[in-house]
Amino acid sequence: MLSVDFSFAERFVSGEQIKSIYDEVFQAHKKIHEDKVFEPIGWLDLPKKYDKKVVDEIIIEAQNIRKNCDVFIVIGIGGSYLGARAAIEFLHSNNYNLLENTPKIFFVGNSISSDELYEIMQICKNKSVCINVISKSGTTTEPAIAFRFFRDFLESVYGKSGAKERIYCTTDSGSNLKKLADEMGYKTFIIPQNIGGRYSVLSPVGLFPMAVTGIDVKKVLGGALNALTDYSIYGENLNDCYKYAAIRNLFYRQGKVTEIMVGYHPKMHYFTEWWKQLFGESEGKNGRGIFPASAIFSTDLHSLGQYIQQGLRNLFETVINVKKTNNDLIISESQNNADGLNYLSGKSVNFVNQKALEATLLAHTNGGVPNIVLNLDSFSEENFGYLVYFFEKACAVSACLLGVNPFNQPGVENYKKEMFKLLGKPNF
């Protein structure tokens, strides 16, 4: 599954410093597992307590969509889409929509862009279309606008009776969206009430879109269950999940207030986006928090690399190293060797990528940037589920170490209030 290499970080923190934070980590563990001082906490046991009937239903509905739809539209913002999109690209490809014999999937309602809505509706013309609107309330502005447009689009093509067979709603049991779904006859999946949006990727929020693309969601949940088992017990020595949370907080206390999540494959881009929301919303409050940034190497070594190597020493990196790719290519020998690459002939592209990773670790740590490396053997469903749970648990513990509530996000409402005033919304 997952192995964590702390050797490129521990040169910046001593063993005694790590031991000094043990009691704080224990108190964080106790708050989450025993005292249960925070809500919502349902994600904690979700991999072993999920509703198997709901998962079976998700798989059946997803198979129907795969057989009957050309285009699948996912409407949601933040935690309502980032986890699913991360899984689809991590387990398939960032070029997923170019693959054959599978419904094309588009994510809308995560911005307020009329161009995007128009262009995707144009793509949907003369296609068989299904939509999944994901919203805990049903009133979040961005997805609500998109849902109006796509609901109207489906009704104009299929009529209200035909449209209701193509609309799936993932929402809270008592939400405005659930009431609308019941009134109109839309199929619904219920988000467990004690699971917050950014911790919901292993619920119907993430599982349904994953299943539509052919991902084995039971394997995803199985991987998460393995992580739950590995990281549920607090022992004399910190498990890797808790040690990651502890070391990143020690860096924070040293003034390293920015963490860069690094992947070495473009298909990992949306995993880093999901990770940024998870940690940004969980930790960034009360004037505290590690700022979550991201990069895809070696691409971003040609843009951000200079700053990381020699800029302000207020950052550290967490690197996800997936050792085995789904496909690998061998570099051929060229007769004229105009590009000077014959010294690599016979070697694989992934071999070169691994050496780039190793070289960057050495260069950046020598330049004063600590690195924590998370090693995975492959891009598999089990590994994705394991990695998601690892970060969810680490995030909860880390936020407790910072002295903030990991599960609320009061600051998110501020911009909404100002926007509603400007838009003239009643009571604002």
Side-chain angles (χ1 to χ4, degrees):
M1 287 289 183
L2 175 69
S3 64
V4 187
D5 181 358
F6 295 103
S7 63
F8 294 95
E10 289 176 344
R11 67 180 71 179
F12 297 89
V13 290
S14 67
E16 288 303 312
Q17 286 176 305
I18 296 172
K19 286 182 180 179
S20 73
I21 204 171
Y22 273 25
D23 185 61
E24 293 179 58
V25 175
F26 173 69
Q27 293 304 321
H29 169 89
K30 192 168 178 289
K31 283 181 180 179
I32 295 167
H33 278 274
E34 299 173 22
D35 299 339
K36 300 186 185 298
V37 298
F38 299 118
E39 288 291 343
I41 201 73
W43 61 271
L44 191 62
D45 295 322
L46 181 62
K48 67 179 179 182
K49 291 185 176 180
Y50 68 88
D51 191 324
K52 293 179 174 58
K53 289 183 180 179
V54 171
V55 172
D56 287 341
E57 192 177 356
I58 283 172
I59 292 169
I60 290 170
E61 293 294 341
Q63 288 172 343
N64 289 335
I65 291 171
R66 286 174 64 79
K67 290 177 184 177
N68 300 312
C69 284
D70 303 314
V71 176
F72 183 60
I73 304 293
V74 178
I75 302 172
I77 195 167
S80 293
Y81 93 102
L82 283 170
R85 187 161 190 177
I88 291 163
E89 297 199 2
F90 186 95
L91 294 169
H92 290 297
S93 168
N94 54 309
N95 296 313
Y96 172 80
N97 281 345
L98 299 178
L99 302 176
E100 297 181 356
N101 302 319
T102 184
K104 309 309 176 191
I105 186 165
F106 295 95
F107 294 87
V108 300
N110 49 69
S111 67
I112 312 175
S113 170
S114 57
D115 280 345
E116 180 183 56
L117 283 171
Y118 175 82
E119 289 165 4
I120 294 178
M121 283 191 289
Q122 292 298 113
I123 290 170
C124 290
K125 283 186 175 181
N126 302 316
K127 302 287 196 308
S128 176
V129 179
C130 290
I131 67 175
N132 176 207
V133 56
I134 307 169
S135 175
K136 289 177 72 67
S137 66
T139 60
T140 304
T141 304
E142 295 89 340
I145 289 174
F147 184 40
R148 277 206 181 192
F149 277 97
F150 278 94
R151 186 179 62 192
D152 290 347
F153 173 84
L154 290 184
E155 289 179 354
S156 70
V157 176
Y158 304 104
K160 287 191 176 182
S161 178
K164 76 176 184 179
E165 304 300 325
R166 295 171 174 272
I167 296 175
Y168 297 81
C169 301
T170 306
T171 188
D172 281 356
S173 58
S175 71
N176 286 356
L177 180 57
K178 179 62 166 65
K179 293 173 185 175
L180 175 67
D182 290 344
E183 178 185 334
M184 300 299 293
Y186 304 148
K187 174 68 182 176
T188 59
F189 293 110
I190 301 302
I191 306 169
Q193 289 186 345
N194 58 351
I195 296 177
R198 60 188 176 275
Y199 289 84
S200 66
V201 61
L202 300 175
S203 79
V205 169
L207 297 180
F208 185 43
M210 287 186 217
V212 169
T213 69
I215 291 170
D216 188 332
V217 295
K218 289 186 177 180
K219 287 184 178 180
V220 172
L221 289 165
L225 179 60
N226 290 334
L228 181 156
T229 303
D230 289 345
Y231 304 132
S232 290
I233 299 173
Y234 183 91
E236 182 177 345
N237 296 314
L238 296 182
N239 63 52
D240 284 348
C241 179
Y242 287 7
K243 191 172 181 180
Y244 167 66
I247 289 178
R248 67 193 302 277
N249 272 268
L250 289 171
F251 288 151
Y252 177 72
R253 296 171 192 186
Q254 295 174 3
K256 297 187 182 300
V257 296
T258 298
E259 178 177 13
I260 304 175
M261 169 64 68
V262 177
Y264 274 78
H265 299 272
K267 63 193 292 182
M268 295 178 65
H269 169 75
Y270 267 94
F271 187 90
T272 69
E273 293 297 304
W274 169 79
W275 174 87
K276 284 194 292 190
Q277 189 209 2
L278 177 67
F279 278 83
E281 281 196 349
S282 297
E283 292 192 332
K285 56 201 73 162
N286 301 340
R288 304 171 193 172
I290 300 168
F291 183 79
S294 64
I296 298 296
F297 290 167
S298 65
T299 304
D300 291 329
L301 288 173
H302 295 261
S303 56
L304 298 174
Q306 173 61 41
Y307 186 94
I308 296 170
Q309 188 69 49
Q310 295 183 328
L312 191 63
R313 303 295 78 185
N314 68 339
L315 51 87
F316 63 98
E317 294 171 290
T318 295
V319 178
I320 300 178
N321 176 26
V322 183
K323 294 183 177 181
K324 183 181 178 182
T325 55
N326 296 332
N327 307 282
D328 205 358
L329 300 171
I330 303 300
I331 299 169
S332 63
E333 186 167 358
S334 171
Q335 188 171 0
N336 57 30
N337 196 28
D339 52 19
L341 290 181
N342 273 356
Y343 76 102
L344 294 176
S345 62
K347 294 183 171 61
S348 73
V349 173
N350 194 48
F351 172 84
V352 178
N353 198 32
Q354 284 289 309
K355 295 308 172 186
L357 183 152
E358 294 168 18
T360 305
L361 285 173
L362 291 170
H364 286 183
T365 53
N366 289 338
V369 179
N371 273 252
I372 300 170
V373 185
L374 279 63
N375 295 300
L376 293 171
D377 56 359
S378 65
F379 289 99
S380 70
E381 283 102 333
E382 292 89 346
N383 283 346
F384 179 82
Y386 195 101
L387 199 59
V388 164
Y389 194 88
F390 173 92
F391 281 121
E392 288 180 343
K393 188 69 177 292
C395 183
V397 171
S398 183
C400 289
L401 294 175
L402 285 168
V404 300
N405 182 341
F407 309 119
N408 67 358
Q409 54 282 336
V412 172
E413 298 303 314
N414 291 17
Y415 93 88
K416 295 180 183 179
K417 292 175 183 177
E418 297 299 332
M419 180 176 70
F420 292 153
K421 289 179 190 177
L422 295 172
L423 290 171
K425 184 174 182 176
N427 302 320
F428 282 85

